[in-house]
Amino acid sequence: MSPMLDPAPFFQDFVENLSQVFFVYDPDAHEVVFVNAAYEHLMGGNRKQVNQELPQLIARLHPDDRPYLANCWRRWQRGRLEEKEIEFRLLDPDGAEQWLQLKPYRQQTGTEQELLGGFLDVITSQKEYIANADKFNAKKNATLEILSHDLAGPFIMLQQLAEYMGEQVSSLQNESLNEMIRIMQTTCKDSVDLIRDFVDQEFLDSANVELKTERVDMVERVQQMMNSYQQAESLVDKHFQLIVPQEPIYISLDVNKFMQVLNNLMSNAVKFTPDGGHITLTVAQEPTTVRFTVADDGIGIPKALQAGLFDRFTKARRPGLRGEKTTGLGMSIIKTIVGLHQGHIWFESEEGKGSTFYIDIPLDLASNPDGRQKA
């Protein structure tokens, strides 16, 4: 049998040629004991002077990310870090943001000694691509809702006119004319159903994929969504208002799914608010949660329908004021997605005075010094 080879040179050469930064940090000595050559390429530093350069790197941390990273650092040292990947930003001298992703690792090398290390990579281009995709996805969803409302209205009106014409000409007993009117009615109904089915399917699909959470500034995201509604005020004849703080609010969530939730609540408000009505979206930070509120001054929900509103295929499903159809699944899916985010949803409504829906989502870990949500 051939003698066993020492794999150490192989791994050393492998680490040195990685495109990612690989480092090892000794918490007791408060210094980096190893960093590979990628540090110089990606971070623009000198690997031999990495410990002298650490304060400069820390000073470049984005102010919004510092509490989050400090919290992660404390839990990492204690062996309580749950995150497999940590994303954060450095600021260049010109103010440009550089996104980094850290895959952390902690090793207990002895009874008391421990080492911290991991892989660090620059992901700025990926984050910019995802941010643009998310932005246009949110705009697409809002636009679909607005168009479905705006397009369905004329078809419903034509369907009603066709029904009226059918009643008026029935005495003529003209089979050809009756058949043309029937085709008009069927075409209008099928068109309205097609529009609504397409939009509903977008929402239904969002509940069929597992959560992909990331740390997101929700103030920025709801502003992007609300812009689409405010720009379409003249189309849907509603007044939209957004109330948010000036400071960012960060939450760890699946942003695409949660924005679908807000978009669906906004869509329901549009359906059940008469022309000239008001719809307000509010985002506010509470002690341990972020509260999202969608309020309207529409027709409200009858008391008899309120108890089962979140049930699957609820009997509370109603057509919109312009005849918009509903599957009865929307509120059930909303509650499911909110629950997957460890959140809570409830509502207040009075018939003839409008409805207000509330969603509480736990704050980001950085808002809690111990890294745990309070009860």
Side-chain angles (χ1 to χ4, degrees):
M1 186 174 68
S2 60
M4 184 176 294
L5 297 175
D6 181 7
F10 171 84
F11 286 111
Q12 183 176 1
D13 184 65
F14 173 76
V15 167
E16 281 294 342
N17 287 281
L18 282 173
S19 60
Q20 302 166 306
V21 176
F22 175 75
F23 68 94
V24 179
Y25 181 83
D26 184 346
D28 293 334
H30 302 290
E31 66 178 12
V32 176
V33 294
F34 175 81
V35 66
N36 66 351
Y39 170 77
E40 299 186 350
H41 173 65
L42 292 182
M43 308 304 297
N46 185 332
R47 61 191 296 197
K48 295 181 180 179
Q49 300 176 8
V50 61
N51 288 295
Q52 293 90 332
E53 294 172 356
L54 272 179
Q56 301 172 25
L57 289 174
I58 294 173
R60 289 174 54 198
L61 288 173
H62 194 291
D64 290 349
D65 295 344
R66 291 185 182 188
Y68 172 69
L69 287 173
N71 180 274
C72 290
W73 175 247
R74 287 192 293 268
R75 290 183 289 118
W76 191 9
Q77 288 180 299
R78 299 172 191 169
R80 292 171 46 198
L81 185 66
E82 297 179 358
E83 289 88 337
K84 302 300 182 184
E85 298 174 351
I86 300 171
E87 295 180 355
F88 60 97
R89 292 162 290 180
L90 295 181
L91 293 177
D92 292 337
D94 60 358
E97 295 180 358
Q98 181 186 38
W99 276 95
L100 300 175
Q101 182 186 77
L102 169 65
K103 295 182 178 179
Y105 181 70
R106 179 176 180 268
Q107 183 182 56
Q108 199 80 26
T109 58
T111 306
E112 297 181 355
Q113 187 179 10
E114 64 178 10
L115 293 175
L116 305 178
F119 296 90
L120 189 66
D121 201 4
V122 177
I123 58 168
T124 305
S125 58
Q126 297 96 307
K127 292 294 290 187
E128 289 176 348
Y129 176 85
I130 292 171
N132 284 330
D134 289 345
K135 176 181 177 180
F136 286 108
N137 185 59
K139 186 173 183 179
K140 178 262 298 180
N141 290 332
T143 302
L144 282 176
E145 292 291 355
I146 293 163
L147 286 176
S148 69
H149 180 275
D150 194 42
L151 290 175
F155 279 117
I156 292 168
M157 182 182 296
L158 288 173
Q159 182 181 348
Q160 293 169 345
L161 289 173
E163 291 173 356
Y164 176 76
M165 290 173 59
E167 294 172 359
Q168 297 301 309
V169 303
S170 59
S171 60
L172 299 178
Q173 297 183 348
N174 186 322
E175 289 300 322
S176 297
L177 185 58
N178 289 337
E179 178 63 14
M180 285 189 288
I181 292 175
R182 187 192 65 78
I183 292 173
M184 288 174 60
Q185 292 174 318
T186 302
T187 301
C188 289
K189 181 181 182 302
D190 290 347
S191 297
V192 172
D193 289 347
L194 180 64
I195 293 168
R196 196 63 246 171
D197 286 344
F198 180 74
V199 177
D200 284 344
Q201 192 59 47
E202 285 284 306
F203 186 52
L204 292 173
D205 289 344
S206 71
N208 296 328
V209 184
E210 64 183 42
L211 293 183
K212 186 180 184 304
T213 60
E214 57 182 308
R215 183 169 170 264
V216 182
D217 174 13
M218 287 305 296
V219 171
E220 178 184 14
R221 294 308 174 97
V222 296
Q223 286 174 332
Q224 293 172 356
M225 182 189 76
M226 201 58 160
N227 283 340
S228 298
Y229 282 97
Q230 290 173 332
Q231 291 170 6
E233 282 188 345
S234 60
L235 293 177
V236 296
D237 198 14
K238 308 288 188 295
H239 302 288
F240 296 96
Q241 182 181 16
L242 176 63
I243 302 175
V244 294
Q246 293 184 346
E247 303 79 16
I249 297 179
Y250 288 92
I251 321 177
S252 293
L253 45 63
D254 187 317
V255 65
N256 287 324
K257 284 185 175 55
F258 192 75
M259 292 307 295
Q260 276 284 66
V261 165
L262 294 181
N263 197 60
N264 195 265
L265 289 177
M266 291 289 296
S267 173
N268 286 339
V270 170
K271 289 179 191 175
F272 298 110
T273 301
D275 290 348
H278 298 78
I279 299 169
T280 303
L281 172 59
T282 304
V283 182
Q285 184 168 323
E286 305 290 332
T288 61
T289 62
V290 177
R291 178 163 297 176
F292 299 84
T293 308
V294 178
D296 66 68
D297 55 4
I299 63 173
I301 305 170
K303 278 196 174 294
L305 301 180
Q306 293 185 12
L309 187 68
F310 293 110
D311 294 345
R312 190 175 178 86
F313 295 109
T314 173
K315 294 180 180 179
R317 58 183 182 270
R318 300 176 292 168
L321 297 182
R322 294 192 178 187
E324 299 96 332
K325 62 172 290 190
T326 176
T327 61
L329 279 168
M331 299 308 298
S332 171
I333 294 176
I334 284 175
K335 185 176 182 181
T336 298
I337 294 177
V338 170
L340 289 173
H341 287 91
Q342 309 302 314
H344 176 55
I345 182 171
W346 72 102
F347 69 94
E348 298 171 352
S349 185
E350 185 175 347
E351 197 167 4
K353 294 187 177 180
S355 304
T356 302
F357 284 83
Y358 304 90
I359 298 177
D360 279 356
I361 298 293
L363 271 171
D364 188 85
L365 287 172
S367 302
N368 191 330
D370 293 327
R372 297 188 299 268
Q373 297 299 330
K374 300 177 182 178

